[in-house]
């Protein structure tokens, strides 16, 4: 069977890597892939991104299964396009992907179906947004409505910051958000306190299977300081997701979401990623939905997955996920993102990368913003690599091992956090899985 993975980041590299190990898979295509997948004989890279052109190519190549990594192609309707021509693809339709692509849609959905989330209002008018902020006070959270690559959220500690964020998003669009129909819109919501976790499940429209638990670090700097990024590192399992929190998240958030989407006539198929805020009493609330896997959460999660990923996707696209029980490595996994100089605002391209060690059973360097140029590996994007390792049961060991590997990799201006996993290292809870 030939499979296609759409995307070129670390998440897609990890999915392609796991799929290449599946027994029924003969060839893994990645569109567009990265500087590793173009040179590794396990993969073929395809430089097509437009959904209809990709679908035509997939029909010609007789691709048996397609998996979509990033939100962009999902919001552009790639799943609808493939399905309309009878191709098997795992991901949500364009309508279902609104759970991620429109904050206004997902907040209204959660309100309607009584799914726990922060209280909010949506605004297109800047004056009304400013008045709301003055009425509510700080801290308060301002979110752009539309896809923003993790940069469309400002957690404002003062009302002045919140006012500036509104002008940024509604008036100037300085974050370069892709607006939804009706133009610029912001969601302003209540500030929630607690610890975050990435709760990711697979859905076939009806049945749900949870992946191993995980957490990421969204801030650029050690101690979870500095600006928000797409994610600077992740690990699995996440101690904050105890068996009890897991059961609550499934019962109060995930299942009502799947049932709600079914009821609203837009059944959800694909990965559903609920960003949770878990308070001190262990009550989860939904910060956001993503309709795809997390990056970099996928990298540690794929290191721990023991089940045949192709068979899992096959069931997921047949509507028989209830027949699947995912098997996880009992060891812990941790991934450290190495980012380019200037990330997240203006990542520099073209720095030469050296020293990446050969893949080992317990250590894989997944690529993201890399490219081959004149026979050399060069940086080509913000997040460049994700050094991902497995270690026996203790997160501290995984952290040490990941940093040993990262220390061998060189490129000018490389930035990475030195404390990935610190919450898990200091936690006393037992995670669910
Ligand atoms: P989002 O893209 O909506 O997940 O927001 C990005 C990050 O902003 C989250 O991972 C949180 O760290 C933070 N955040 C978002 N919404 C809230 C909220 N209501 N209260 C506190 N922090 C938030
Ligand atoms: N790591 C956060 C995300 O994928 O959205």
């Amino acid at each position: 069977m030939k499979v296609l993975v759409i995307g070129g980041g670390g998440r897609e590299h990890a999915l392609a890597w796991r799929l290449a190990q599946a027994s029924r898979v003969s060839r893994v295509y990645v569109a567009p892939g990265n500087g590793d997948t173009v040179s590794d004989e396990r993969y073929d890279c395809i430089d097509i991104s437009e959904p209809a052109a990709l679908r035509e190519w997939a029909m010609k190549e007789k691709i048996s299964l397609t998996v979509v990594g990033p939100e962009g192609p999902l919001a552009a309707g790639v799943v609808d396009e493939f399905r309309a021509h009878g191709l098997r693809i795992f991901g949500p339709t364009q309508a279902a992907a609104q759970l991620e692509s429109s904050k206004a849609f997902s907040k209204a959905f959660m309100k309607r179906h009584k799914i726990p989330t922060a209280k909010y209002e949506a605004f297109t008018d800047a004056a009304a947004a400013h008045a709301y902020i003055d009425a509510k006070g700080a801290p308060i959270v301002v979110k752009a409505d539309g896809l923003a690559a993790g940069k469309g959220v400002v957690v404002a500690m003062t009302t002045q910051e919140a006012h500036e964020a509104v002008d940024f998003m509604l008036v100037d669009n300085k974050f370069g958000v892709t607006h939804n129909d009706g133009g610029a819109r912001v969601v302003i919501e209540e500030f929630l306190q607690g610890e975050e976790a990435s709760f990711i499940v697979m859905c076939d429209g009806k049945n749900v299977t949870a992946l191993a638990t995980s957490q990421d670090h969204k801030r650029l700097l050690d101690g979870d300081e500095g600006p928000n990024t797409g994610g600077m590192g992740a690990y699995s399992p996440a101690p904050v997701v105890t068996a009890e929190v897991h059961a609550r998240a499934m019962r109060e958030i995930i299942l009502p979401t799947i049932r709600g989407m079914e009821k609203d006539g837009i059944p959800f198929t694909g990965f559903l990623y609920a960003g949770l805020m878990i308070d001190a009493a262990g009550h989860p609330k939904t910060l956001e939905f993503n309709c795809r896997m997390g990056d970099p959460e996928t990298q540690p999660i794929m290191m721990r997955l023991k089940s045949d990923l192709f068979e899992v996707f096959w069931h997921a696209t047949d509507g028989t996920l209830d027949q699947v029980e995912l098997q996880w490595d009992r060891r812990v996994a941790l991934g450290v993102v190495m980012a380019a100089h200037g990330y997240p605002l203006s990542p520099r391209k073209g720095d030469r990368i050296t020293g990446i060690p050969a893949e080992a059973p317990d250590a894989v360097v997944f690529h993201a913003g890399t490219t081959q140029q004149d026979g050399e590996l060069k940086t080509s994007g913000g997040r460049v690599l994700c050094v991902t390792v497995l270690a026996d049961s203790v997160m501290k060991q995984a952290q040490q091992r990941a940093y040993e590997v990262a220390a061998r990799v060189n490129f000018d201006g490389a930035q990475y956090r030195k404390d990935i996993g610190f919450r898990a290292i200091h936690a006393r809870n037992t995670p669910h899985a």
Side-chain angles (χ1 to χ4, degrees):
M1 302 267 196
K2 293 177 176 177
V3 300
L4 168 64
V5 177
I6 300 179
R11 162 184 51 211
E12 292 77 29
H13 196 184
L15 290 169
W17 171 80
R18 201 34 112 197
L19 280 167
Q21 298 163 18
S23 58
R24 287 206 284 159
V25 170
S26 58
R27 203 76 210 129
V28 179
Y29 297 87
V30 195
N34 55 45
D36 180 79
T37 56
V38 290
S39 51
D40 187 320
E41 60 188 21
R42 285 174 290 188
Y43 317 103
D44 282 310
C45 291
I46 309 302
D47 199 12
I48 305 175
S49 58
E50 199 274 315
L54 202 52
R55 184 267 305 159
E56 258 173 50
W57 174 87
M59 288 180 84
K60 196 164 67 52
E61 273 309 313
K62 300 199 166 44
I63 299 294
S64 302
L65 168 79
T66 300
V67 179
V68 192
E71 58 276 23
L74 295 167
V78 74
V79 169
D80 310 67
E81 173 71 28
F82 273 55
R83 281 197 195 151
H85 291 83
L87 291 175
R88 186 185 282 259
I89 185 165
F90 186 64
T93 59
Q94 188 172 39
Q98 287 179 96
L99 270 184
E100 172 168 4
S101 63
S102 168
K103 298 268 185 207
F105 174 92
S106 70
K107 293 299 284 191
F109 173 87
M110 287 190 265
K111 199 184 240 178
R112 196 161 65 241
H113 294 285
K114 303 196 171 50
I115 293 160
T117 187
K119 292 195 192 66
Y120 80 102
E121 291 286 341
F123 299 92
T124 52
D125 176 48
H130 288 305
Y132 184 78
I133 290 166
D134 285 330
K136 292 287 172 183
I140 193 159
V141 181
V142 185
K143 302 186 175 187
D145 185 47
L147 292 180
K151 286 173 280 184
V153 175
V154 172
V155 180
M157 287 300 151
T158 62
T159 49
Q160 191 194 336
E161 269 179 87
H163 288 305
E164 282 168 15
V166 165
D167 288 336
F168 249 64
M169 293 178 193
L170 278 186
V171 187
D172 307 329
N173 191 23
K174 284 201 187 142
F175 294 131
V177 173
T178 314
H179 294 313
N180 291 310
D181 292 350
R185 185 155 44 172
V186 294
V187 164
I188 303 183
E189 66 176 40
E190 167 199 11
F191 172 78
L192 298 177
Q193 253 167 332
E195 188 170 338
E196 288 179 53
S198 311
F199 200 95
I200 310 176
V201 301
M202 294 178 78
C203 316
D204 64 9
K206 247 188 175 51
N207 305 295
V208 181
T209 302
L211 301 187
T213 62
S214 61
Q215 257 173 320
D216 77 338
H217 292 271
K218 291 204 173 61
R219 303 297 195 99
L220 181 69
L221 306 174
D222 284 12
D224 289 336
E225 304 275 347
N228 260 320
T229 70
M232 294 300 290
Y235 46 91
S236 172
V240 69
V241 185
T242 59
E244 204 187 328
V245 170
H246 196 277
R248 276 193 98 112
M250 285 299 280
R251 193 172 65 234
E252 296 170 9
I253 295 170
I254 300 294
L255 295 175
T257 300
I258 301 306
R259 301 284 167 267
M261 291 295 278
E262 227 185 318
K263 215 163 45 223
D264 292 353
I266 27 180
F268 192 92
T269 50
F271 290 107
L272 179 65
Y273 165 155
L276 303 183
M277 184 69 90
I278 300 156
D279 72 12
H283 296 179
K285 281 193 178 165
T286 318
L287 285 175
E288 60 161 350
F289 284 120
N290 296 313
C291 57
R292 49 167 179 81
M293 281 203 77
D295 189 342
E297 291 92 327
T298 305
Q299 293 85 315
I301 289 175
M302 284 301 123
M303 290 288 278
R304 290 189 63 214
L305 180 71
K306 297 208 310 196
S307 311
D308 184 311
L309 185 58
F310 177 80
E311 303 304 330
V312 175
F313 282 133
W314 202 260
H315 279 286
T317 45
D318 262 349
T320 55
L321 261 186
D322 52 327
Q323 296 172 24
V324 173
E325 198 173 335
L326 296 174
Q327 304 294 321
W328 302 104
D329 196 312
R330 299 182 70 85
R331 289 175 292 175
V332 303
L334 181 142
V336 174
V337 168
M338 301 185 74
H341 178 272
Y343 180 73
L345 273 183
S346 47
R348 188 170 71 199
K349 296 180 182 176
D351 288 308
R352 184 165 159 257
I353 308 166
T354 58
I356 297 179
E359 185 176 316
D362 65 346
V364 184
V365 179
F366 294 111
H367 290 227
T370 68
T371 188
Q372 295 285 346
Q373 220 176 56
D374 312 323
E376 289 184 335
L377 186 68
K378 300 262 178 79
T379 63
S380 65
R383 292 187 292 173
V384 177
L385 303 166
C386 182
V387 175
T388 315
V389 305
L390 279 169
D392 285 336
S393 69
V394 189
M395 200 61 83
K396 183 82 199 158
Q397 267 174 23
Q399 194 192 54
Q400 275 165 358
R401 176 103 173 87
Y403 285 119
E404 276 162 26
V405 177
R408 290 157 64 183
V409 179
N410 283 301
F411 55 91
D412 269 356
Q415 4 169 18
Y416 57 95
R417 285 181 53 164
K418 307 294 184 303
D419 66 345
I420 299 301
F422 76 86
R423 288 183 200 283
I425 289 167
H426 296 121
R428 269 169 278 141
N429 303 341
T430 308
H432 173 264

